[in-house]
Amino acid sequence: MWNETRLPKEKRMKIGIVLYPTYGGSGVVATELGKALAQKGHQIHFISYSFPVRLDVHDKNIFYHEVRVNSYPLFKYPPYESALTSKLVDVIRFEKLDVLHLHYAIPHASAAHMAQQILQEEGIYIPFITTLHGTDITLVGRDPFFKPIITYSINKSDAVTTVSQSLKYDTFKFFNIKKEIEVIPNFICIKDMKFSIQRERYAEEDELILCHISNFRKVKRVQDVIKVFAKVREKLNCKLILVGDGPERDKMEMLCRELGTCKDTSFIGTVNNTTEILSIADLFLLPSETESFGLAALEAMAVSVPVVSTNTGGIPEVNAEGVSGMLSNVGDVEEMAKNAIYILSDKKRHQEFKKNALNQAAKFDLNEIVEKYITLYKKVIK
Ligand code: GMT
């Protein structure tokens, strides 16, 4: 897979990618971007507090630098941002990075700005690009307490990107931003894949599989997934697979018990290879309260799984109404259930939605999107 499509030395960039290493979408996007850039011959330095979960390849162009925060009795709160800043200064200096790319504003953008200031004193200029992913703007970022630092560090970035038009709009709406924002959507690599997962582990031959993947936070409205499923199950033979884990998980298990759907629901926890699970699904449910993009929906579509979702935030930019799936208002469980039944109850219609889902996903082709980032890196490197 890692074919040597290397660049001549003078064209290779040394790029620092700062990310959250967990299963969240921003970490996944940052990791996949770094992997694709490394494959093109650029040198990628991932910087985070632990090894990124999706960094499952060995490539001579990929490096990992861990940010460690030493404990000290005085620290009730370990100073992560200072540790990250120091790490950035060290890596930029030693590895001679050309550019930093930060995924998720808090606290990455302010740490990068501080590192930039420190290095400027030594005559080194390191440009940094901030990619806004979602709740850094729509939830956490809107907290009045964080507003000044987010506004300041976005304005100080050498370039700013958002993953959807909707998030760009929200950023200008909620913050006093004086910079241009470029929309560079998330991406997917569409390829023929072989999966070893056995569908029969989760459903009988005559049963359909509905699936949801998230970090089980309130914003994901997993309760609506379960309620929609309960309604679909009244009409169709089906099973529900819930992938992921998070603060709402226990409550969701209780809700399944209340609705009597436990025997048809599998909570499978966090998995590394979500594509494998998605490949056996017939429909993906994404009833989020807010969602700047909806990477999980795109991953579903990339393996021909149609999506029933809400119409909030950037989801309509990903899931095309009546084409790759269907969209409803937040909380409209009744309509989402009707839509799911509509798509699944007719084999021919389901096939059509499946085919369209794959075509729609192909619009977010990895190669095209990665080129947009490369162009941006070149623009900010002086
Ligand atoms: O903002 C978050 O909730 C975290 C972030 C993440 O790290 O998972 O998710 C956001 O970024 C993803 C990748 O760009 C998007 O696909 C998600 O839609 C977005 N989440 C929200 O807007 C809730």
Side-chain angles (χ1 to χ4, degrees):
M1 178 187 161
W2 293 96
N3 47 12
E4 297 277 313
T5 46
R6 305 299 182 189
L7 290 165
K9 210 171 176 188
E10 65 282 3
K11 292 203 170 156
R12 286 180 216 160
M13 287 181 278
K14 290 185 172 186
I15 304 160
I17 295 188
V18 182
L19 71 162
Y20 281 104
T22 51
Y23 290 92
S26 66
V28 169
V29 169
T31 309
E32 296 299 338
L33 173 63
K35 281 155 63 172
L37 289 164
Q39 196 180 8
K40 285 182 183 287
H42 301 289
Q43 199 181 88
I44 304 303
H45 294 263
F46 287 103
I47 303 158
S48 192
Y49 58 76
S50 72
F51 198 80
V53 289
R54 284 265 188 119
L55 194 52
D56 48 1
V57 292
H58 298 279
D59 185 283
K60 68 176 181 199
N61 281 337
I62 291 182
F63 301 83
Y64 166 65
H65 308 271
E66 189 152 310
V67 181
R68 287 198 195 85
V69 192
N70 291 333
S71 64
Y72 183 67
L74 198 62
F75 297 155
K76 183 172 174 200
Y77 304 105
Y80 180 71
E81 192 170 335
S82 301
L84 173 61
T85 305
S86 302
K87 193 69 182 180
L88 291 177
V89 169
D90 183 64
V91 175
I92 295 160
R93 240 192 229 138
F94 186 73
E95 303 288 353
K96 301 193 169 40
L97 299 190
D98 296 307
V99 60
L100 270 185
H101 188 177
L102 319 155
H103 291 263
Y104 207 87
I106 315 166
H108 301 156
S110 43
H113 174 60
M114 187 63 163
Q116 187 183 62
Q117 296 295 298
I118 294 170
L119 289 163
Q120 225 158 2
E121 300 272 310
E122 299 171 18
I124 299 168
Y125 189 77
I126 180 79
F128 70 92
I129 297 171
T130 304
T131 289
L132 305 169
H133 278 272
T135 50
D136 42 357
I137 296 301
T138 57
L139 283 178
V140 192
R142 277 177 72 192
D143 182 334
F145 185 70
F146 282 125
K147 228 171 170 175
I149 190 147
I150 295 182
T151 311
Y152 179 77
S153 49
I154 291 176
N155 281 329
K156 287 291 174 190
S157 305
D158 292 84
V160 183
T161 75
T162 57
V163 296
S164 62
Q165 289 291 350
S166 148
L167 187 60
K168 174 177 174 175
Y169 175 83
D170 284 345
T171 308
F172 281 123
K173 189 167 143 203
F174 302 137
F175 298 87
N176 183 12
I177 301 301
K178 298 187 186 89
K179 286 220 79 85
E180 247 181 62
I181 295 184
E182 185 176 350
V183 177
I184 303 188
N186 291 333
F187 50 84
I188 195 86
C189 177
I190 308 238
K191 53 181 185 246
D192 270 337
M193 287 174 276
K194 294 257 174 297
F195 301 106
S196 53
I197 187 163
Q198 284 152 348
R199 196 180 195 279
E200 53 276 21
R201 265 190 62 193
Y202 294 98
E204 301 296 326
E205 218 176 299
D206 63 341
E207 286 175 326
L208 296 155
I209 297 180
L210 282 73
C211 181
H212 169 78
I213 303 178
S214 75
N215 42 21
F216 281 62
R217 282 176 299 152
K218 272 207 161 78
V219 68
K220 299 292 174 180
R221 293 186 68 96
V222 185
Q223 73 274 19
D224 288 357
V225 171
I226 293 166
K227 289 178 191 167
V228 166
F229 174 69
K231 289 184 183 295
V232 175
R233 186 172 161 270
E234 285 169 13
K235 302 273 184 232
L236 301 170
N237 258 347
C238 54
K239 289 271 158 64
L240 174 65
I241 303 180
L242 292 164
V243 184
D245 216 330
E248 293 287 287
R249 162 96 182 249
D250 290 347
K251 264 199 229 156
M252 295 308 118
E253 291 195 19
M254 292 309 288
L255 182 61
C256 283
R257 288 181 205 173
E258 274 165 39
L259 298 179
T261 55
C262 289
K263 81 172 182 41
D264 293 323
T265 304
S266 306
F267 285 84
I268 66 167
T270 303
V271 300
N272 240 337
N273 193 348
T274 47
T275 311
E276 196 158 58
I277 287 285
L278 286 167
S279 72
I280 59 165
D282 298 294
L283 190 77
F284 188 76
L285 297 174
L286 189 68
S288 306
E289 175 101 40
T290 78
E291 197 72 68
S292 69
F293 185 87
L295 186 66
L298 179 60
E299 290 183 333
M301 286 153 52
V303 283
S304 306
V305 179
V307 176
V308 162
S309 68
T310 45
N311 52 16
T312 185
I315 301 179
E317 295 171 46
V318 180
N319 185 20
E321 168 64 31
V323 181
S324 56
M326 296 175 86
L327 297 89
S328 308
N329 291 334
V330 173
D332 195 342
V333 167
E334 207 61 52
E335 192 180 276
M336 285 187 268
K338 264 192 206 151
N339 289 345
I341 294 165
Y342 175 78
I343 294 173
L344 292 169
S345 57
D346 181 302
K347 267 197 178 149
K348 222 171 128 201
R349 190 186 299 139
H350 186 217
Q351 278 311 317
E352 191 63 23
F353 270 99
K354 278 170 73 68
K355 191 182 83 197
N356 293 343
L358 181 61
N359 290 339
Q360 173 71 3
K363 294 182 184 161
F364 298 84
D365 178 59
L366 174 134
N367 289 311
E368 276 177 42
I369 308 285
V370 170
E371 281 308 316
K372 289 184 199 276
Y373 279 117
I374 292 175
T375 306
L376 190 61
Y377 297 150
K378 288 184 182 158
K379 204 166 130 188
V380 298
I381 296 173
K382 289 172 186 150

